[in-house]
Amino acid sequence: MLQQWREFLEARGASFSGEAVSGFGDPAPGADIDATDILADLGPRGILAVSGPDAGRFLQGQLTCNVDEVTAEHSTLGACCTNKGRMVSSFRMLAGEDGFLLGMHRALVPQLLEHLQKFSVFYKAEMSDASDRVLRIGCAGPRVGEALGKHFSGLPDSVNQVVRRDGNTLVRVHGSGPRYEAWVDADTAHQLWDDVAAVARPVPWNEWLLGEIASGIAFVAPETREEFLPQMLNYHAVDGISFNKGCYTGQEIVARMQYRGNLKRTLHRVVVREAAEAPTAGTPVFASGHAQAVGTFAVAALRQGLGAEGLCVIQRDAVEAGDLHAGSPEGPVLELPAP
């Protein structure tokens, strides 16, 4: 299915770099396009499916979010952690037909599956990589709603709200304007894409990432696996952590940081004006007066005419002192825009 979907997008002008759409041709003839409405293939994101009678109970003991709150009408962000509270993966979690779907960086799906299998032996729960069975499409802007409404039973009004039809799901995600992710089968994906493309501009993966960065949302990448506590990526501020659901792997460390700890590294949006390429996840941040790196890029993307924007986890004292650099002590200067 994934190869057919890629061929479909190429026929509509997409070019690829690995799993990500790197560019698009001109809009379809006759399309009534507004620059604020965009459409994106979310191919770099994959899906882990967890099903079976014990799926919810099993995941409740492994994830930071409250699995009981994930329903046909509600999704959530969340994370899976090590015993030391470090994030193995972060994800958006939806209810599936017979269990749950966890959407994350595609390369982390097999790694998280292997990690969870170590804890699943006493549960009737099955896990599989559903990345090639469920396609994810991002849509944003004031005009995409009418096109999406042809395929779903209405539109979700608030962040994390979900609407469904015939096994397909539409979820409202974080953003200053309407932003949605459609998780759909191949038959729906083709028609949905064409319907939305009549009013929205197809964009490369980089541009969808810019919207997430502006929203302050970062997901764990392979390069940052086991690097961050959930609070370092602000998951406590976006309902990605439940502090009253009970125990889960890493819960003691995460809860201690919330109630008694002093979070020394926090998330910041940065601009790198000298960047010809976006820093990759895991790129270190340096500051004058510090012998070692003081932070790490969680995500970054190029912005035309500006350089690059990103989200970095940086030591508080280094932020206060300023003079931050990407990649090396002599690397491009990082600017921290005003909130």
Side-chain angles (χ1 to χ4, degrees):
M1 184 172 80
L2 194 60
Q3 182 59 34
Q4 293 175 335
W5 175 243
R6 183 171 179 137
E7 292 171 356
F8 169 86
L9 293 177
E10 288 175 337
R12 280 148 179 78
S15 55
F16 283 82
S17 176
E19 296 162 344
V21 172
S22 57
F24 259 105
D26 295 330
D32 180 18
I33 303 300
D34 189 300
T36 60
D37 296 275
I38 63 171
L39 170 67
D41 171 55
L42 307 187
R45 299 271 165 81
I47 295 175
L48 175 65
V50 185
S51 60
D54 291 342
R57 191 162 62 93
F58 165 59
L59 291 175
Q60 189 74 299
Q62 297 301 323
L63 309 182
T64 61
C65 53
N66 190 340
V67 176
D68 291 341
E69 295 178 355
V70 179
T71 67
E73 295 79 33
H74 185 78
S75 73
T76 188
L77 296 177
C80 180
C81 298
T82 66
N83 289 328
K84 296 181 180 180
R86 300 286 168 166
M87 301 165 82
V88 176
S89 178
S90 60
F91 47 79
R92 176 166 292 281
M93 186 175 185
L94 304 180
E97 291 296 307
D98 57 353
F100 301 92
L101 301 176
L102 281 66
M104 66 196 74
H105 195 294
R106 182 179 289 267
L108 288 178
V109 173
Q111 297 182 38
L112 183 59
L113 193 156
E114 182 180 2
H115 173 84
L116 289 174
Q117 282 177 333
K118 295 182 292 186
F119 303 95
S120 66
V121 291
F122 299 110
Y123 296 89
K124 295 179 180 179
E126 298 178 355
M127 290 173 282
S128 63
D129 188 337
S131 304
D132 294 346
R133 303 198 303 268
V134 181
L135 299 175
R136 296 174 63 179
I137 299 172
C139 308
R143 301 177 64 197
V144 300
E146 183 176 352
L148 291 171
K150 298 177 182 179
H151 300 273
F152 298 97
S153 56
L155 295 174
D157 296 323
S158 57
V159 171
N160 292 333
Q161 185 181 349
V162 170
V163 296
R164 305 178 70 179
R165 178 189 286 175
D166 299 331
N168 296 312
T169 301
L170 182 69
V171 56
R172 179 86 173 252
V173 298
H174 295 79
S176 57
R179 283 172 63 88
Y180 308 95
E181 286 189 16
W183 297 27
V184 297
D185 59 35
D187 290 340
T188 301
H190 292 183
Q191 189 59 56
L192 184 149
W193 184 277
D194 284 343
D195 286 343
V196 178
V199 297
R201 174 173 52 96
V203 298
W205 169 242
N206 180 87
E207 190 156 343
W208 185 260
L209 277 184
L210 285 171
E212 290 188 340
I213 291 167
S215 304
I217 301 297
F219 291 90
V220 173
E223 299 85 352
T224 56
R225 187 173 184 262
E226 299 187 25
E227 174 80 14
F228 304 128
L229 294 171
Q231 288 97 329
M232 292 178 184
L233 292 188
N234 268 359
Y235 273 51
H236 60 299
V238 292
D239 295 327
I241 309 172
S242 172
F243 294 102
N244 55 19
K245 73 166 195 168
C247 295
Y248 56 88
T249 302
Q251 181 264 343
E252 183 178 356
I253 303 298
V254 175
R256 183 184 303 152
M257 176 57 67
Q258 188 70 16
Y259 295 117
R260 294 192 293 174
N262 178 20
L263 192 62
K264 296 180 180 180
R265 293 198 292 163
T266 53
L267 192 68
H268 298 270
R269 187 167 71 90
V270 301
V271 174
V272 194
R273 298 194 184 278
E274 304 170 32
E277 297 182 352
T280 58
T283 296
V285 175
F286 290 87
S288 59
H290 292 75
Q292 305 296 324
V294 297
T296 306
F297 272 85
V299 62
L302 288 176
R303 183 178 289 281
Q304 187 173 3
L306 185 64
E309 291 187 10
L311 295 172
C312 296
V313 176
I314 311 174
Q315 289 176 203
R316 288 179 182 272
D317 60 345
V319 171
E320 293 169 358
D323 193 23
L324 302 171
H325 298 263
S328 72
E330 296 78 31
V333 174
L334 300 188
E335 300 178 13
L336 275 65

